[in-house]
Amino acid sequence: MIAPKTEKLTPGTVKLACRNVWKLFGKHPERFLAAHDNRPTYEQIREAYYIGATRDVSLEIYEGEIFVIMGLSGSGKSTLVRNMTRLIEPTAGEIIFDGMDLLKADEKTLIDIRRKKMGMVFQNFGLLPHRNVLDNVAFPLEVQGMARFAREEEAEQMIELVGLKGREYYFPRELSGGEQQRVGIARSLAVAPEVWFLDEPFSALDPLIRAEMQDEFLRLQKVLHKTIVFITHDFDEAIRLADRIAIMKNGEIVQVGTPETLLLHPADAYVSEFTQKVPRAKVVSAASVMTPLDSASPIPPTVSPVAADTKIDALIGRFINQQEPIPVVDASERIIGEISMQNALRVFIGEEAATHGC
Amino acid sequence: MGANEICSFAGFYKTPPVPFAPISCPAAEPDAESIEEMVEMEPVDRSAPLIRAWRRIWSELKSAPVTRWIWVAVLMTWVTTRFIDPPWMAVYPEDWVLPFKDLLNRLMDWLINDLSFGVFTFKEMTRSVAWLLEWPMTWALGIFATGVDIATGGGQMLHIPHLPWIAVVGVAAILGHAGKGWNLALLAGSAFLYLAVFGQWESAMMTLAAILISVAIGALVGLAIGIVTAGSRRIEAWVLPLLDLMQTVPVFAYLIPILFLFGFGPVSAMIATIIYATPPMVRCTMLGLRATPPEIIESGQMIGCTRRQLLWKVKIPAAMSELMVGLNQVIMLSLNMVIIASMIGAGGLGYDVLAALRRLKIGAGLESGIAIVVMAIALDRLSQAFACKAPVNLRDATFLKRHAHSLLAVAVILGGYALGMIFPVLMNYPETWEVTTGPFWDGMIKFININCYDQLEWIRSGLLLTLLMPFKRFLIGLPWLGVIMALGLVAYRLKGFKLAGLVVALAGFIAVTGFWEKAMITVYLCGIGVMLSTVIGLIIGVWAAKSNSMSRVINIILDTLQTLPSFVYLMPVVMLFRVGDVSALIAIVAYAVVPAIRYTVHGILNVPATVREAAVVSGCTPYQTFWKVELPLALPDIMLGINQTVMLALSMVVITALVGTRDLGQEVYIALTRADNGLGLTAGLGVAFIATITDRLIQAWTESRRSHLGAA
Ligand SMILES: Nc1ncnc2c1ncn2[C@@H]1O[C@H](COP(=O)(O)OP(=O)(O)OP(=O)(O)O)[C@@H](O)[C@H]1O
Ligand SMILES: [Mg+2]
């Protein structure tokens, strides 16, 4: 078993955390788990004909970040996110939401949390076929008992936000896949949730629409600043959207980190498999491949510097007209290193000598 | 894959050497088989020659296909009758009959006379239920047929007349338009107009009122049961067998207890109708609720629906189309019950038919019968239209437009009353405008009977002498014990001990209750009916599957056949062939042939095109393609159709008792006239058990055949 490699990036407030969460499918999962001291191995689970959909998952999701869970089909992503929302009851563990254990909440509290603080978008949209767009988006508000006029007004705003104005009275079957998912997004946002779960929201869409929806999603996040748990099996999508990525395999978290960390320091072959085909220059930042300078001997910049988190992709063009290395500065404009043309080019052929973890 | 292979592949199924369904059959386990082989090959087997021979036969049999088992079973029973001849083996001795029906009678007596819950007795309870149900019934009758009396102050009675016929016709047309546009409006409107013009209005409205109330109650009860059942596997395990029983026990059997418990009258008729018509609603509700896509339910949960909101706002609306299918079924089955219900007190069209039949007024009976059919078609199409209706995008609709249909309907009703006050002809359709077709039908029958008497008689006696009588004699001659054993063996071969046990127990019940011979007559009528239906169904089904234009015509005919209440079949047949087995047979075939045709078409159209093409490319003639490829592959589907045919034939057999057959159905009918609870229920259970045995055996066979063909 590989210990998950976790690291601190922006240690903000923890919004949602899983602690040793297990979900086994089978006849008597609790009994089985207890009999194995709460930590059965993968083989033990398999031999007993259980399915270990979530195995000992611990992770923390910070307020305001986009946290992507990724893994192959059947690796347990959907189960994990349903554990977090208690759509599936975990076999063991704790789900800490805003400091309280969600698994101990009674039905009323749970319904209340779901109504006010959580929103979810589904892979196959999960729209109600007998309601038109407006009524679908207004549904969460209706359930809470909001009056018709007020809820329709709010729903209208959401519909406008996702760019479906004018389609309010269409029924789901009259919309394309992309449009249906916009309705799903609008519905999940109607109650202004604090945490937003998206289970492969764009997987059912064709590549062009998918890219368009990803842009749309990033635009929305810029406005809304939600805490987001986003599931995908597409690594390109993950690096495009993620602040941090958790990689799952057979129900267990293999590694959690920024896209760059996963690329430069994969925990094992499974992770590096995912990162292989990624355009590296788009992920690797200047800080990772620069030659660090002694802070004792700062050199005055002769050429204009770049920020430490600049992607190589964005600075490579400057080497067309200059030979000298480019200085790299940190957030307080201090020079912390320099990056040579050779080092930058190495990134493109995948031979960069990583000098710096981030 | 070579297409030659496919032809020979299909041919191979004619005599499959591979044993069926190895799962539940211990003999198919490899080590068991090798032991058998060892026993067989052992040179010094000291056991008695008879035992040795038996072992040989047994090991042969174990791997033989089911068809051979059936032959062996038939042979065995024949041998027992001819050579081993203790009489008790052939004919079930009368002293051995268990007093099951007396037991039932005593149970009924106890229920009615002695059972008491302290404050009130069981009978009081049922009577008060009846009283409760009478309310909506009286109201509906008042609105549609008799008018409503409302007590106003000072002992005055205000009489509001029933709906004017013109308003009902108008509302039917409006409903049609709301459901599916002008075509359906025309159909529904003219159907009701027909009822007025042909003088059936009053009876038809009584029937309509009764149907509407039965359907409303049946659908609600079915919905409630379906919701509860869908939510719990434990309850489901109780409800499903009960539904099976409700659908296989002939209606006549429970008419008597209902009479005892609820008294003679429209309410009893309504209760019988509800019992008969509710099961499909339960099934459809369960199906619809269980089939809701999980993501839709999850989205409802994430939105924060409470359990109740989840049910009413998410699951039930999402299951609406299944619920509407269920409703359509309830309506059709209720209409099917119209005539039977009139035996225990329902008025209306059903009563007219029954009365006419009893007085042998063929023309009048036929007229009322056709009125039932017309109403059935109208209600069927209307409910189907609403079942298939998708919600419409009413973007810029004003209030007026959104509610156009309901507003118009209200206007038509009010306008109808207003006009009816001024012009009474619009209130009650005047008798002088009525057209009657009775004499026409009578004349036609007379004409046919005079001019074609010889031909009809020739058909009748020909059928009787060459087919019916010999088969009947053969079946009655079979020894009961042999038949039970043979059934058990076949069941064992198909699915193991559990099925064999069930089959033997059910067949044994029929024997020990003393109904063996009557049951055999039921089997004989049904058997021949099913055989003929199957042959006809295959021919027509294949024809329809091969030709597009043909299939359209046939579909319309089938749709009509299926909406006819089963009684209607009896009338023309009895007119032409008089009472007796031949009439019964023809009625059975007419009623039961529909699924045989439907499933044949379905099965043949479902043969994968690639398989068919492969056969053609490899040089099969159309004839070979059909016999060697299409038919074998379609066989499981066809068998399911035959299964349905058997069920319909059995339900018809009971009704044909009215035209003088001497089978279980007749026992039930006699019990009805004598008000003998025990007799009716026992004989009814007998019919239900025949149905169950056939159903389980055919299903087991189809399953093993399917897995053989590699289908799911
Ligand atoms: N209700 C269930 N009963 C039994 N096993 C289940 C159930 N739900 C999920 N599983 C199993 O748990 C494992 C994880 O499933 P999950 O749906 O979480 O995968 P996933 O990563 O979301 O896959 P995908 O990308 O295909 O959506 C799978 O092996 C699946 O077969
Ligand atoms: Mg999934």
Side-chain angles (χ1 to χ4, degrees), chain A residues 43-310:
Chain A
E43 281 71 31
Q44 282 172 332
I45 294 173
R46 257 221 340 227
E47 275 158 24
Y49 295 107
Y50 283 88
I51 293 170
T54 310
R55 294 192 294 134
D56 204 16
V57 167
S58 298
L59 47 81
E60 295 182 331
I61 294 160
Y62 305 123
E63 193 154 345
E65 76 168 330
I66 301 180
F67 189 88
V68 170
I69 300 174
M70 83 147 276
L72 298 178
S73 196
S75 56
K77 310 176 298 284
S78 296
T79 310
L80 177 57
V81 83
R82 279 166 178 72
N83 281 333
M84 293 178 185
T85 53
R86 262 185 82 182
L87 283 175
I88 293 179
E89 205 69 36
T91 314
E94 290 176 343
I95 308 285
I96 312 290
F97 181 85
D98 274 345
M100 83 175 248
D101 187 355
L102 211 56
L103 300 186
K104 297 215 173 72
D106 58 15
E107 190 171 324
K108 199 166 162 296
T109 322
L110 185 66
I111 286 181
D112 214 48
I113 289 177
R114 283 180 180 162
R115 282 184 178 179
K116 307 250 162 72
K117 301 191 170 169
M118 290 178 168
M120 185 155 172
V121 180
F122 296 86
Q123 177 168 2
N124 296 312
F125 323 134
L127 300 180
L128 302 174
H130 55 282
R131 286 167 168 253
N132 60 27
V133 171
L134 184 66
D135 288 342
N136 257 297
V137 176
F139 187 47
L141 303 170
E142 177 186 335
V143 161
Q144 296 180 22
M146 192 184 274
R148 175 168 212 113
F149 186 71
R151 69 177 186 242
E152 286 191 350
E153 201 167 21
E154 284 204 17
E156 287 278 7
Q157 281 176 14
M158 285 303 137
I159 291 170
E160 192 168 352
L161 185 69
V162 298
L164 279 181
K165 200 165 167 54
R167 307 279 176 93
E168 287 87 345
Y169 297 101
Y170 282 56
F171 282 89
R173 75 193 142 78
E174 298 171 321
L175 298 173
S176 73
E179 288 166 336
Q180 288 189 39
Q181 195 55 295
R182 283 169 200 265
V183 179
I185 288 173
R187 180 180 63 180
S188 67
L189 290 176
V191 292
E194 292 167 12
V195 182
W196 197 18
F197 299 95
L198 300 100
D199 185 0
E200 305 204 23
F202 309 142
S203 295
L205 309 177
D206 61 64
L208 278 182
I209 307 285
R210 194 185 309 162
E212 188 188 313
M213 293 293 287
Q214 287 165 356
D215 291 337
E216 182 85 17
F217 171 76
L218 287 174
R219 177 181 72 80
L220 278 174
Q221 172 64 354
K222 239 180 222 145
V223 186
L224 302 169
H225 307 295
K226 307 271 181 218
T227 306
I228 292 173
V229 180
F230 189 107
I231 294 186
T232 179
H233 59 237
D234 175 4
F235 197 70
D236 287 330
E237 184 167 83
I239 54 170
R240 241 188 118 191
L241 306 177
D243 290 319
R244 288 192 305 147
I245 300 176
I247 297 211
M248 284 193 85
K249 179 187 174 185
N250 293 333
E252 152 182 85
I253 302 269
V254 183
Q255 187 174 10
V256 180
T258 61
E260 202 173 356
T261 320
L262 297 183
L263 193 80
L264 298 175
H265 310 282
D268 63 2
Y270 181 75
V271 178
S272 53
E273 188 96 352
F274 274 121
T275 59
Q276 231 162 36
K277 295 222 179 71
V278 173
R280 307 171 73 84
K282 285 200 165 112
V283 180
V284 177
S285 61
S288 304
V289 289
M290 68 185 183
T291 321
L293 291 187
D294 260 337
S295 51
S297 57
I299 311 169
T302 52
V303 285
S304 61
V306 294
D309 61 354
T310 313

Side-chain angles (χ1 to χ4, degrees), chain B residues 141-180:
Chain B
L141 271 178
I143 291 170
F144 282 100
T146 56
V148 185
D149 287 313
I150 296 174
T152 52
Q156 295 277 314
M157 282 299 224
L158 177 64
H159 181 80
I160 299 176
H162 61 82
L163 283 176
W165 67 270
I166 193 93
V168 177
V169 171
V171 170
I174 292 170
L175 275 176
H177 187 260
K180 219 177 171 184

Side-chain angles (χ1 to χ4, degrees), chain B residues 53-68:
Chain B
W54 172 242
R55 275 196 189 146
R56 277 280 295 280
I57 294 171
W58 182 242
S59 68
E60 281 271 302
L61 264 179
K62 269 184 174 170
S63 52
V66 173
T67 39
R68 212 171 305 161

